[in-house]
Amino acid sequence: MVEHSGGDGDDVNWNTDDDEHEIDNFQFSPSSSPVQFMSETSYGPAETTSPNFIQKGISDEVVASFIEMGFSSEMIARAIEETGGGSSEPRMILETLFNYSASTEASSSKAKVIDHFIGMGFPEENVIKAIQEYGDENIDEITNALLTYAEVDRLGETNDVNINTNDDDDNLYSLSSDDDEDELNNSSQEDSILQALIKMDYSREEAAIAIERCGEDASVEEVVDFICAAQMARQFDEFFAEPDRKEPMNNSKKRRTYNEPQRRERKPNAAMASDQLIYLPKEMIGFGVPNRPGLMMNRPVPVPDIACGPPFFYYENVAMAPKGVWATISSHLYDIVPEFVDSKHFCAAARKRGYIHNLPIHNRFQIQPPPHNTIQEALPLTKRWWPSWDGRTKLNCLLTCIASAKLTNRIREALEKYDGEPPLHVQKQVMYQCKKWNLVWVGKNKLAPLEPDEMEKLLGFPRDHTRGGGISRTDRYKSLGNSFQVDTVAYHLSVLKPLFPNGIRVLSLFTGIGGGEVALHRLQIRMNVVVSVEISEANRNILRSFWEQTNQKGILREFKDVEKLDDHTIEQLMDEYGGFDLVIGGSPCNNLAGGNRHSRVGLEGAHSSLFFDYCRILDTVSRKTRQMRR
DNA sequence: GCAAAAATGAAGCATGGC
DNA sequence: GCCATGCTTCATTTTTGC
């Protein structure tokens, strides 16, 4: 309890009728080409030195997106020509670009291959020897040969076995130890890769994690690429690491920054076990928000090659999760830096969320019309009753439950004691409850929680999106409180519009009431296929109703449980529909949310641990997509 | 028995005084 | 720089009413 000095003894008890206490606390580029990051204005000079795409009938946005994905202007121009010039579809161009990428890799010059393996730590003479034997295109054979050479060298140094070199053939090494030979032959591919990586001076732990993440079919090269990408991404942590970890200081007393949390004694938390922490930015504008061009920025760390789309993916969860959670989430999503955004920059309600995705971030645009920016604009009927001493223009986060009627009634009774403005201490107490429960003024001295349709409006959904079909009022609040803010998500997804003018295939996990689908619809991106996974029958009904009411021509296929969506089923779906272009979803926040008083235990919680199914499914889709591309 | 309403703090960051 | 305090938070459990 926090005491509030009423002074005149007329404090209001908002919680219980007879309680003597005071108020309750009134209380992703192709691997062969570098990623280019260009500011919005930097596209200008690029055009002057590049082929004239406009004449080719391709929009600036599409070209900019390709450039941002790391393709050169020349490569893009060639792809456009090959796919039909001005009439070509961005998606076809994109496929062609990826084919170039693969082709480029396969036809690399000998010098490039030599550099590549030397860069991996192999001796130059061994690299040249392997290329002479296997040619410069057979990367796997070269890799295996180099690993064999390395193993022989190592054994030679330790004199554990006798090495017989055939003087007549310098290219051949043979092991005289039958036992060792058998051991090598019998080891599984995974073990072989693990051993190879360890020989390359990667730690066993690092190698094991990379193998697990790349899948059992991955080659040594793919795993090494993955590790290198992860190492690059980790550089970002320099910006977010605690200063005392980043740069040990002798002086224990140092200035505290905005992002450095205060040190307090608190009980251990599983979510805090992570060594690496990602701190939230003071102002959550992500990589940019509309109408604030000065704040537009690039990703602090490029999306690693292994994570570049297709498929594109988009993951969301609450920003203010327990310590260490976002570092863990990021580490499971290719070490991509989260984009923290508060939806108050898009609408009249706050919604602090973290997003991890591999989408381009330039040339985003807002869906039209833009939402109202203040409470009073969004809810005009409240203007008449809004007292001057309530200075709110934005609502707090829209939650899953609302204030009780008893509370609003007690506030009314308290305010009716005064003819004019209530005293400051009453104002303060009323304001606390207003902010806590997102109450709005609906009459003289009358406060009320938001109606479901008002929440729909604020969150960017069509009116009555969640109404009817047997869903209770309570469940409407719950579903809306758990949903995306459509305008925010649409802003991020808008970059897909020029890339998929003929429609998109979506795998929607934890669909909820279809925030992602509504965003794509409002962006006028045709949904050719939506495979939706949602546990709640009420929410599935809402999505199906939306699908029918908006006359969607595509296929909507529904599943209930992400845990039961196994790899075989995913691959079957991808074979059936030709793959997925976008994997979107926000896993349950129940065990992360600040409002959870009982089981805020982090990602290991019963609900929030479903995040790992998101990762599993995304890995399967990515692996299958690579196979299909090949 | 079921659905809806009501009651239930604490984690974690920001801010300001000293 | 330390500390107290303010503020916000995609929730869960218990109680109530039909």
Side-chain angles (χ1 to χ4, degrees):
Chain A
M1 290 290 181
V2 173
E3 290 189 7
H4 297 267
S5 56
D8 54 3
D10 57 352
D11 279 357
V12 189
N13 183 345
W14 310 116
N15 295 311
T16 58
D17 292 329
D18 54 358
D19 193 343
E20 291 182 4
H21 295 84
E22 288 199 23
I23 303 151
D24 165 35
N25 287 338
F26 241 42
Q27 2 210 21
F28 175 25
S29 86
S31 56
S32 58
S33 59
V35 178
Q36 298 176 30
F37 288 90
M38 308 172 76
S39 68
E40 283 200 317
T41 53
S42 67
Y43 291 132
E47 286 173 5
T48 60
T49 58
S50 306
N52 191 327
F53 295 110
I54 296 176
Q55 288 180 3
K56 294 176 186 296
I58 306 300
S59 71
D60 289 347
E61 289 81 4
V62 175
V63 175
S65 298
F66 293 152
I67 291 174
E68 191 180 344
M69 293 166 73
F71 297 105
S72 70
S73 301
E74 291 73 19
M75 195 184 281
I76 296 169
R78 183 178 152 207
I80 292 171
E81 289 294 338
E82 289 196 7
T83 55
S87 61
S88 56
E89 299 173 8
R91 186 167 148 186
M92 295 298 295
I93 300 171
L94 187 60
E95 289 292 329
T96 306
L97 286 167
F98 280 111
N99 288 338
Y100 288 166
S101 173
S103 172
T104 301
E105 289 171 15
S107 59
S108 296
S109 68
K110 185 179 291 184
K112 190 174 178 180
V113 175
I114 292 173
D115 289 343
H116 175 78
F117 284 105
I118 291 176
M120 291 167 70
F122 293 108
E124 184 175 356
E125 58 182 350
N126 284 1
V127 174
I128 294 172
K129 188 187 296 179
I131 291 175
Q132 285 175 340
E133 184 171 353
Y134 296 104
D136 58 14
E137 294 184 359
N138 199 334
I139 303 298
D140 285 340
E141 290 295 336
I142 297 171
T143 305
N144 289 334
L146 287 167
L147 292 172
T148 304
Y149 300 161
E151 176 71 5
V152 170
D153 290 344
R154 186 185 68 81
L155 294 174
E157 288 172 6
T158 56
N159 290 323
D160 286 343
V161 292
N162 296 321
I163 302 171
N164 297 324
T165 56
N166 186 336
D167 293 337
D168 297 332
D169 187 352
D170 289 338
N171 292 330
L172 296 175
Y173 287 78
S174 62
L175 294 170
S176 62
S177 168
D178 293 340
D179 291 342
D180 284 352
E181 189 173 6
D182 289 343
E183 186 179 335
L184 283 173
N185 291 336
N186 292 335
S187 62
S188 67
Q189 181 185 351
E190 190 171 319
D191 289 341
S192 156
I193 296 175
L194 180 62
Q195 294 302 321
L197 291 168
I198 292 171
K199 291 185 184 79
M200 291 180 213
D201 285 336
Y202 293 115
S203 72
R204 177 177 291 274
E205 183 185 12
E206 188 174 33
I209 291 172
I211 293 170
E212 182 184 346
R213 298 272 294 279
C214 293
E216 58 187 13
D217 295 333
S219 66
V220 173
E221 261 211 306
E222 286 174 325
V223 179
V224 169
D225 280 348
F226 178 88
I227 295 175
C228 292
Q231 288 173 341
M232 284 174 62
R234 275 199 293 272
Q235 294 173 4
F236 173 75
D237 292 337
E238 296 286 322
F239 292 93
F240 290 94
E242 299 172 53
D244 53 345
R245 286 199 311 111
K246 177 182 173 184
E247 191 175 344
M249 297 173 69
N250 294 329
N251 186 355
S252 61
K253 292 184 177 181
K254 54 188 185 331
R255 183 180 177 81
R256 176 175 169 253
T257 64
Y258 283 122
N259 291 329
E260 181 187 357
Q262 294 180 25
R263 298 277 167 253
R264 289 184 184 175
E265 292 292 331
R266 57 173 71 95
K267 60 186 178 183
N269 182 320
M272 295 164 60
S274 174
D275 291 326
Q276 296 181 335
L277 300 177
I278 294 177
Y279 296 117
L280 303 179
K282 183 183 176 187
E283 190 176 16
M284 293 190 187
I285 58 165
F287 305 144
V289 291
N291 305 317
R292 303 187 59 182
L295 295 176
M296 188 68 71
M297 57 184 77
N298 294 321
R299 288 179 183 269
V301 172
V303 174
D305 291 356
I306 187 101
C308 290
F312 293 107
F313 73 89
Y314 189 82
Y315 175 79
E316 178 259 14
N317 214 319
V318 293
M320 301 178 79
K323 277 185 174 179
V325 165
W326 272 104
T328 305
I329 292 175
S330 176
S331 72
H332 282 78
L333 291 174
Y334 311 102
D335 288 307
I336 294 176
V337 176
E339 175 174 19
F340 293 107
V341 182
D342 187 340
S343 292
K344 73 177 183 181
H345 300 295
F346 290 84
C347 67
R351 202 166 190 80
K352 299 180 180 69
R353 297 292 180 267
Y355 305 88
I356 292 186
H357 59 84
N358 62 351
L359 297 166
I361 64 170
H362 292 108
N363 294 307
R364 289 168 165 178
F365 61 86
Q366 261 187 300
I367 46 177
Q368 298 296 325
H372 297 294
N373 222 19
T374 66
I375 305 171
Q376 293 77 13
E377 290 171 359
L379 308 171
L381 295 179
T382 66
K383 279 183 184 173
R384 180 180 173 188
W385 309 108
W386 209 276
S388 59
W389 47 271
D390 182 350
R392 291 176 301 156
T393 59
K394 301 276 187 182
L395 292 164
N396 282 333
C397 183
L398 308 183
L399 303 177
T400 56
C401 52
I402 61 172
S404 67
K406 286 184 178 179
L407 173 67
T408 54
N409 192 48
R410 285 195 291 272
I411 296 176
R412 181 183 59 79
E413 289 173 351
L415 291 174
E416 282 178 346
K417 292 179 181 175
Y418 310 97
D419 289 334
E421 284 191 3
L424 285 177
H425 73 276
V426 174
Q427 289 181 20
K428 185 178 177 183
Q429 293 170 347
V430 171
M431 286 310 302
Y432 174 81
Q433 297 294 345
C434 283
K435 291 175 182 175
K436 181 177 180 181
W437 292 107
N438 269 332
L439 301 174
V440 294
W441 298 92
V442 295
K444 186 179 181 183
N445 298 325
K446 279 177 64 180
L447 282 160
L450 295 170
E451 290 294 315
D453 65 299
E454 292 171 331
M455 284 182 65
E456 289 170 342
K457 183 178 183 180
L458 289 161
L459 291 170
F461 288 93
R463 185 183 174 90
D464 294 336
H465 181 73
T466 59
R467 190 180 183 187
I471 187 172
S472 71
R473 183 180 165 90
T474 304
D475 283 344
R476 286 182 75 185
Y477 282 119
K478 185 176 179 182
S479 294
L480 284 161
N482 280 311
S483 74
F484 288 165
Q485 204 287 325
V486 172
D487 299 273
T488 309
V489 172
Y491 185 64
H492 297 159
L493 298 182
S494 61
V495 296
L496 294 174
K497 187 174 173 64
L499 294 177
F500 298 96
N502 293 319
I504 193 168
R505 299 160 299 189
V506 182
L507 175 57
S508 175
L509 305 176
F510 314 103
T511 303
I513 59 174
E517 287 76 7
V518 172
L520 290 169
H521 174 64
R522 293 193 60 192
L523 285 165
Q524 298 182 330
I525 299 176
R526 193 167 74 198
M527 290 171 276
N528 293 339
V529 176
V530 170
V531 174
S532 163
V533 190
E534 168 57 41
I535 196 79
S536 160
E537 182 180 1
N539 287 344
R540 290 200 303 273
N541 290 337
I542 289 170
L543 179 66
R544 203 178 310 118
S545 176
F546 162 79
W547 197 262
E548 291 165 0
Q549 287 177 9
T550 54
N551 297 317
Q552 298 292 329
K553 305 299 181 191
I555 299 167
L556 172 62
R557 191 157 170 185
E558 296 177 297
F559 291 83
K560 293 180 181 176
D561 193 344
V562 290
E563 291 183 289
K564 294 178 181 173
L565 189 66
D566 56 33
D567 293 357
H568 178 67
T569 305
I570 297 167
E571 292 185 4
Q572 274 189 328
L573 288 166
M574 293 181 72
D575 286 334
E576 185 174 347
Y577 300 127
F580 293 117
D581 304 307
L582 173 68
V583 180
I584 184 171
S587 62
C589 67
N590 308 44
N591 307 115
L592 311 178
N596 189 337
R597 306 180 183 195
H598 302 276
S599 53
R600 195 185 186 199
V601 294
L603 275 180
E604 302 305 319
H607 297 95
S608 295
S609 60
L610 290 173
F611 160 72
F612 297 105
D613 281 289
Y614 180 94
C615 298
R616 172 183 59 82
I617 292 169
L618 177 60
D619 278 347
T620 302
V621 172
S622 298
R623 189 166 57 245
K624 177 72 175 178
T625 301
R626 285 196 296 270
Q627 288 176 4
M628 293 173 81
R629 285 220 318 259
R630 280 199 292 270

